[in-house]
Amino acid sequence: QNCQLSHYHLVGVMAFSRMHLGVAKRMYRPVRSRAARVLSSLVESTPPSDRSRTCLALEIAQNEKLTTKLVHPLWLRERDASPMMSQQPTGQRYFEPTDYLSSGLTKATLGADTLSVTFSDEHVATFHEPDRLAAEALDPTFSHNIPDQVYWGAMDMPEKKLYFDFTSPDFDDRALLSQVASYGAAVIKNTPPKEETLGKFVKRFGLARNTNWGFFFTVKSVGADYSMTDNEGVSVQDLAYSNKRLDLHVDNPYRDPYPQYQLLHCVKAAPEGQGGESIIADGFYAAEILRRDYPEYFNALARTKVRVQNKDDETEQIRFLPVLQTDPLTGDPNDPSTQKLVRIISSSRLDYSPSLEPAEAQRYYEARREWLKLIHSKEVALSWRLNDGDLLIVDNGRVMHGREEFDYNADTSRHLEGCYMDRDSLFSKLLCLGREEVTAGVKLVGVDVVEAPVKQKLTKRVLDSDAKVEFSSLAECSKEDMDLMGALYGESTSAEKLADRAIGLIKAQKGKHSELGAKVDLYEHAVQTATRAHRDGADDEMVACALLHDVGELMSPSNHGDVAASILRPYISKKMWWAMCNHEVFQGYYYYEHVGLDKDARDRFADGRDGGHNGPAPAGGWELCAEFCRKYDAPSFDPEYENMDIEEFRPALERVFGREAFWDDRTNAKKGAVVGEGVEEQVS
């Protein structure tokens, strides 16, 4: 009456990590039916005999899909929130989990609302939110339910998205903060137009950030003399205290860390017809346009570190940063246009370029001019009038703000109250408001204490990043040398890192240099091909191949299929490899006749004939290649097609690259190359 697994079932469980999912599913069958587990109000599990090598198998239902997830005993012990083991309610532990590295599991009991786990040292941990535990096992970031960023232009941000009515019974703090996290901007209308309103509003969500202007500051023109202090002795030595036009900019880029959100509350708007209109623009949206149309300008702004500086009689702050800050780990380290954008540092009234070589300086200033022209264009910039009681929130590392010049009058001058907040303050409130929904659709329905493989511990030498082999010629290497290099190569070629490199290769094809007369560049073509395959229900193997199929086109145009196929061969089937090798010939069916070639050249491979250097097609290979070109490759030159984001393909890439090398050909002589994995002997 328990969920104990036999040795043969356990082999199937372990196979999940390296084998094709379909094969693993056939090998893994619990003794009790899944339906019986769901219907049972109490499920108990007993362990295999070797308690030092046990883990807990969680059977999780999510959106009508059942998944088995294996978790380590210490993963469970880390989360023991009982008063004896951790401080309440913070959950800060009184113990170090690795002190119990040798302990395993002896029993697990799943009740209606609790999961009880007994460890081999007789400690019992009770989890009162088993579904939350299951959700975290499936996705370590499950509780960080911050919405994805949405880039927008002036036409993409209608009033219904930007505005929130503070007096409406439907006003919702979580909806507001979600908007700010996703779009980087929001306007709360109809708040009381009083100086104290901003402080009360900030207290609702967190804490204001202190600067040399104080926690809160007044933005009110002081006329021609904006080089003094206000009535409370706070400096007003800033162009913002004039009535001059302020071009689009981010605030305080010279601070470290910079204030991540800015709030501006309109106590008194400039009189109608006297100017003072507000302007905002999504810098990320503008930067993506620049990346697409002028990748060389994008790179110039991402590589050139300008001096951003603020100073008055008692303050001096200075940093050296690029206008477009990217993450070099997310693309080609030498090409910012392939990297993820993480921050805008655009503030044209207080930045200074370095002394560059004339040609390089010319390129930078051309890029700067194009950038300023772009962000102030009607396509990007959104302009409107802040009315009394309107409160603007902007992401200060992304959404730039500015204003038009206004007529100065000491009695009727425009009056704003402002402050800064940091991201952790706003996001903390957002996460608290969303706690009840993080486990939606996730249910822990079964548990099993099972045996799990334990990887061999790395030696001290392997863990030493400075460790070197003894040989200077490979002919002189030792087993210890190869153990070291194999381990280090294994770490460097993990599924995650291979997926990173694959995405970097695709991103390197972004830009006009790879359009070559087409309506889309090779990057868009690759992503579109993969999107069509994914939406058609294709498996991971096909999606990965669709994404990478043209990665070698600019290096070896007449043989580019072999480039992608060779990269992927250890992780894909022979049939899929053959299709990738020859897809350029099958693609010729749609255009060869226009360049004087035989559109039916693909028929040379039909019926098992050897039409090229990759040998005859495996069973079904011809049909697979023809289908790939017809359904995914040939139609993917459409600039109007709605592509998925390339990052959405990362899980599929990691699953493919996570396979055992040459899993379908265990006798392949290349199987042990570089990383040292063993080759099985051929059984005759």
Side-chain angles (χ1 to χ4, degrees):
Q1 297 298 312
N2 59 47
C3 298
Q4 185 175 1
L5 306 180
S6 71
H7 167 74
Y8 297 103
H9 295 125
L10 293 171
V11 172
V13 174
M14 291 183 280
F16 271 110
S17 63
R18 301 294 289 180
M19 296 183 62
H20 191 278
L21 185 58
V23 176
K25 283 184 175 178
R26 290 195 294 273
M27 295 179 68
Y28 173 56
R29 289 289 185 269
V31 174
R32 292 183 67 200
S33 71
R34 287 172 170 166
R37 296 187 192 187
V38 175
L39 294 174
S40 174
S41 62
L42 185 67
V43 179
E44 283 197 4
S45 173
T46 55
S49 57
D50 185 359
R51 295 176 180 175
S52 66
R53 298 186 60 192
T54 53
C55 65
L56 191 64
L58 307 176
E59 191 152 11
I60 304 166
Q62 182 182 30
N63 301 325
E64 301 182 354
K65 178 182 178 182
L66 285 170
T67 302
T68 299
K69 178 70 177 181
L70 302 182
V71 296
H72 193 280
L74 293 193
W75 187 88
L76 295 163
R77 201 141 192 164
E78 285 177 348
R79 288 154 180 78
D80 184 352
S82 63
M84 182 179 69
M85 304 302 291
S86 61
Q87 184 193 52
Q88 307 299 307
T90 67
Q92 296 179 42
R93 291 189 294 266
Y94 297 139
F95 67 98
E96 166 50 46
T98 58
D99 290 344
Y100 302 94
L101 191 58
S102 62
S103 70
L105 302 172
T106 61
K107 186 171 71 171
T109 303
L110 178 63
D113 298 305
T114 60
L115 169 64
S116 178
V117 178
T118 304
F119 295 86
S120 58
D121 60 359
E122 300 184 354
H123 174 69
V124 178
T126 300
F127 302 94
H128 295 282
E129 294 182 290
D131 296 339
R132 188 179 182 88
L133 197 72
E136 186 178 6
L138 288 178
D139 178 9
T141 65
F142 83 106
S143 63
H144 193 260
N145 55 339
I146 303 298
D148 294 335
Q149 289 184 330
V150 178
Y151 301 170
W152 53 270
M155 300 302 293
D156 304 319
M157 185 67 97
E159 289 187 6
K160 65 180 181 179
K161 285 185 180 179
L162 183 64
Y163 292 156
F164 290 78
D165 186 351
F166 191 65
T167 61
S168 170
D170 297 326
F171 182 82
D172 179 68
D173 287 352
R174 187 182 179 197
L176 169 65
L177 294 179
S178 294
Q179 160 81 11
V180 172
S182 184
Y183 288 85
V187 175
I188 302 93
K189 300 185 71 64
N190 299 319
T191 68
K194 301 177 181 179
E195 291 188 12
E196 63 269 20
T197 295
L198 183 60
K200 294 178 179 179
F201 191 86
V202 167
K203 190 174 181 181
R204 185 183 184 116
F205 297 114
L207 300 172
R209 164 86 175 266
N210 196 13
T211 69
N212 55 301
W213 292 296
F215 286 100
F216 298 91
F217 50 86
T218 297
V219 183
K220 188 175 182 180
S221 176
V222 294
D225 187 9
Y226 48 90
S227 58
M228 58 181 189
T229 59
D230 65 12
N231 293 334
E232 297 181 1
V234 176
S235 171
V236 291
Q237 295 181 355
D238 191 277
L239 195 59
Y241 293 96
S242 74
N243 63 330
K244 304 296 184 184
R245 170 186 165 89
L246 298 181
D247 284 341
L248 286 165
H249 64 281
V250 296
D251 264 28
N252 295 202
Y254 39 76
R255 296 189 191 275
D256 185 14
Y258 72 98
Q260 293 158 330
Y261 285 94
Q262 179 166 15
L263 290 77
L264 291 169
H265 179 234
C266 183
V267 177
K268 190 174 185 178
E272 288 277 3
Q274 294 188 18
E277 291 81 4
S278 295
I279 316 166
I280 60 172
D282 185 355
F284 282 10
Y285 176 82
E288 291 306 322
I289 295 176
L290 193 72
R291 188 203 302 263
R292 180 193 69 198
D293 295 344
Y294 302 99
E296 66 279 10
Y297 286 169
F298 184 99
N299 282 351
L301 295 179
R303 287 179 173 141
T304 306
K305 292 185 177 182
V306 298
R307 173 167 56 91
V308 285
Q309 184 173 7
N310 176 60
K311 62 180 180 179
D312 59 27
D313 293 341
E314 298 180 354
T315 305
E316 178 111 15
Q317 294 148 325
I318 182 170
R319 294 199 72 197
F320 298 88
L321 300 164
V323 173
L324 306 179
Q325 188 171 338
T326 60
D327 181 355
L329 299 179
T330 58
D332 182 346
N334 298 313
D335 184 0
S337 71
T338 68
Q339 300 164 10
K340 181 181 178 180
L341 186 67
V342 295
R343 182 184 166 194
I344 301 293
I345 303 106
S346 183
S347 194
S348 59
R349 70 182 191 273
L350 48 75
D351 62 340
Y352 303 88
S353 67
S355 178
L356 303 170
E357 291 296 323
E360 189 178 358
Q362 179 70 18
R363 175 58 56 87
Y364 164 75
Y365 286 119
E366 289 175 356
R368 177 189 174 98
R369 180 181 62 182
E370 187 63 35
W371 169 252
L372 293 175
K373 176 183 174 183
L374 178 61
I375 63 177
H376 288 95
S377 68
K378 292 183 178 180
E379 178 184 359
V380 175
L382 184 65
S383 177
W384 82 104
R385 184 175 183 272
L386 273 180
N387 293 310
D388 295 359
D390 287 356
L391 196 163
L392 170 66
I393 306 177
V394 292
D395 181 335
N396 191 46
R398 170 186 169 185
V399 175
M400 298 165 288
H401 66 284
R403 70 160 188 242
E404 299 292 352
E405 184 172 342
F406 59 92
D407 296 339
Y408 172 69
N409 183 305
D411 297 323
T412 62
S413 185
R414 186 174 186 261
H415 176 187
L416 304 182
E417 291 294 314
C419 74
Y420 302 111
M421 295 184 73
D422 287 329
R423 184 168 287 113
D424 63 338
S425 187
L426 286 176
F427 280 15
S428 172
K429 183 67 174 181
L430 179 55
L431 290 172
C432 288
L433 292 171
R435 279 177 177 169
E436 299 302 319
E437 296 184 10
V438 295
T439 60
V442 178
K443 182 72 175 175
L444 181 61
V445 297
V447 292
D448 290 305
V449 176
V450 299
E451 184 176 355
V454 179
K455 290 186 177 180
Q456 184 178 2
K457 295 180 181 178
L458 294 175
T459 65
K460 184 176 180 180
R461 187 181 184 199
V462 171
L463 292 175
D464 182 359
S465 61
D466 294 326
K468 299 293 182 184
V469 297
E470 300 295 335
F471 67 85
S472 299
S473 168
L474 193 59
E476 302 168 353
C477 71
S478 66
K479 182 181 185 304
E480 290 75 17
D481 291 332
M482 291 299 98
D483 287 344
L484 170 63
M485 293 188 68
L488 294 177
Y489 265 104
E491 290 179 2
S492 184
T493 57
S494 65
E496 294 79 7
K497 291 182 178 178
L498 290 178
D500 281 341
R501 294 187 186 110
I503 289 174
L505 288 173
I506 300 301
K507 287 183 175 180
Q509 295 184 310
K510 182 183 291 188
K512 285 188 175 295
H513 71 283
S514 72
E515 286 182 4
L516 305 174
K519 293 181 178 180
V520 298
D521 57 23
L522 284 174
Y523 170 83
E524 293 173 286
H525 173 67
V527 174
Q528 189 174 140
T529 305
T531 300
R532 292 180 187 275
H534 173 80
R535 290 176 179 163
D536 191 45
D539 60 19
D540 290 342
E541 188 171 278
M542 175 64 84
V543 171
C545 288
L547 191 63
L548 288 164
H549 73 286
D550 281 349
V551 74
E553 188 157 317
L554 294 182
M555 179 64 70
S556 180
S558 297
N559 198 40
H560 67 270
D562 282 63
V563 177
S566 294
I567 292 172
L568 289 164
R569 173 61 192 103
Y571 314 103
I572 61 177
S573 65
K574 290 181 180 178
K575 181 169 69 172
M576 193 74 246
W577 165 79
W578 188 92
M580 284 299 97
C581 284
N582 295 288
H583 82 269
E584 58 260 64
V585 178
F586 282 66
Q587 192 81 325
Y589 177 78
Y590 302 98
Y591 75 91
Y592 267 12
E593 62 182 314
H594 301 302
V595 294
L597 298 174
D598 179 12
K599 65 175 292 185
D600 295 316
R602 64 182 187 173
D603 290 343
R604 301 175 191 175
F605 302 98
D607 303 321
R609 286 176 285 169
D610 186 353
H613 66 279
N614 296 307
W622 194 97
E623 294 76 12
L624 180 65
C625 192
E627 180 184 57
F628 168 78
C629 291
R630 175 177 59 84
K631 295 173 69 175
Y632 312 138
D633 195 1
S636 293
F637 296 86
D638 183 359
E640 303 301 321
Y641 187 82
E642 186 175 346
N643 295 334
M644 295 167 61
D645 188 279
I646 192 170
E647 287 296 326
E648 295 182 72
F649 300 113
R650 182 179 293 275
L653 287 173
E654 289 183 359
R655 287 191 290 270
V656 170
F657 285 125
R659 293 174 176 175
E660 178 185 355
F662 296 104
W663 54 271
D664 67 336
D665 182 10
R666 296 179 181 276
T667 62
N668 193 302
K670 290 187 177 183
K671 181 177 175 60
V674 180
V675 294
E677 293 181 354
V679 182
E680 294 184 6
E681 294 183 2
Q682 179 72 50
V683 179
S684 59

